[in-house]
Amino acid sequence: MKKSNSISNSFCPQTLFLYGTYKEDNTPNFGLFCWFSYYYDKEMGVMACIGEKKLTKDRIQANKVFSANLVTEEILPIADYFGNKRGYDNDKMNVDIETEKGQVLNVPVLSKSPVIFELEVDQTITMGSSDVYLCKIRNFLLDEYLCDETISVEKRIKTIRPIHTTVQKYFSWDGNLICDWGKAMKEIIK
Ligand SMILES: Cc1cc2nc3c(=O)[nH]c(=O)nc-3n(C[C@H](O)[C@H](O)[C@H](O)COP(=O)(O)O)c2cc1C
């Protein structure tokens, strides 16, 4: 038996990505995003939706490039912080993180994320307050371990442990509740 509900994506787990952009002064900024998926038109592309006005959106509109860094259990505390602290606050990036430059595009990437897309915006669909970006994947970076075909896919993905999220909660790769959104960052801002 099914029951009609208010519109939401509850019980539809999503993965999380940290979008990296360079600010006007060429230092990195990261924000946390889940409205992320793929499309196909001759090759695979990425579609990303960003709501409201925020620094990540300003920088994507200015440079037309960004990185999308998969969030794993290891980097959840800093990811949660990047999702709850506004880039417009000048001290957002005063945190201890290791970043590098992408290998193809001029985008910052997070050294600790094992799966990273370097993305170039191809088309922008502007709506009321949200924008949808259709992006060409210019590079796909994987930790060396993930490229080892002699190890099963199950073992490789269990090693990196991507986060799942739904109903504003974070879940571990094996399906256990970690915490509500906004709680994991407590480790960072003690
Ligand atoms: C778990 C989580 C997922 C989020 N997903 C999105 C998203 O898909 N789209 C969006 O516009 N904002 C999303 N946000 C909000 C942004 O992360 C937040 O506005 C952040 O401040 C963006 O960084 P910035 O201010 O440096 O641009 C999410 C926040 C959290 C905690």
Side-chain angles (χ1 to χ4, degrees):
M1 182 83 159
K2 311 277 180 234
K3 267 176 86 176
S4 293
N5 260 275
S6 51
I7 306 296
S8 81
N9 61 358
S10 295
F11 302 98
C12 304
Q14 291 185 277
T15 41
L16 289 164
F17 288 88
L18 287 162
Y19 295 173
T21 51
Y22 281 122
K23 298 194 264 192
E24 261 179 285
D25 64 1
N26 270 321
T27 60
N29 185 68
F30 286 91
L32 179 62
F33 296 87
C34 58
W35 298 338
F36 177 104
S37 195
Y38 310 94
Y39 69 90
Y40 199 91
D41 179 30
K42 296 194 196 87
E43 59 184 8
M44 182 180 281
V46 156
M47 49 191 182
C49 179
I50 302 189
E52 297 150 359
K53 190 169 156 44
K54 52 193 71 167
L55 186 61
T56 300
K57 192 191 263 191
D58 297 346
R59 300 316 301 154
I60 291 176
Q61 276 165 359
N63 295 334
K64 300 280 181 278
V65 289
F66 63 105
S67 66
N69 304 255
L70 182 71
V71 175
T72 60
E73 290 176 33
E74 183 189 4
I75 59 174
L76 178 62
I78 193 75
D80 187 48
Y81 168 80
F82 286 144
N84 285 286
K85 173 91 174 160
R86 288 155 40 97
Y88 291 140
D89 297 341
N90 287 332
D91 60 345
K92 176 169 184 174
M93 294 307 295
N94 293 349
V95 284
D96 191 19
I97 49 154
E98 205 182 313
T99 66
E100 297 160 38
K101 204 160 98 80
Q103 292 184 12
V104 169
L105 297 178
N106 186 28
V107 289
V109 304
L110 271 182
S111 310
K112 282 211 166 148
S113 175
V115 181
I116 301 167
F117 296 93
E118 294 181 45
L119 300 170
E120 182 171 2
V121 177
D122 183 43
Q123 290 180 48
T124 303
I125 301 164
T126 303
M127 299 179 290
S129 66
S130 285
D131 292 85
V132 175
Y133 301 103
L134 301 181
C135 309
K136 302 266 186 209
I137 302 171
R138 295 302 186 205
N139 198 17
F140 182 50
L141 294 166
L142 283 178
D143 272 3
E144 219 171 354
Y145 170 77
L146 292 176
C147 303
D148 186 345
E149 304 273 337
T150 65
I151 303 168
S152 72
V153 173
E154 182 185 3
K155 188 156 180 225
R156 279 180 277 167
I157 198 155
K158 274 184 175 165
T159 302
I160 62 167
R161 302 191 312 277
I163 291 291
H164 290 128
T165 186
T166 191
V167 201
Q168 305 201 358
K169 294 173 193 303
Y170 300 117
F171 291 85
S172 63
W173 178 251
D174 54 12
N176 293 314
L177 175 68
I178 297 178
C179 63
D180 286 352
W181 290 6
K183 290 270 156 41
M185 66 187 263
K186 299 270 185 298
E187 256 181 56
I188 303 290
I189 51 161
K190 316 180 252 221

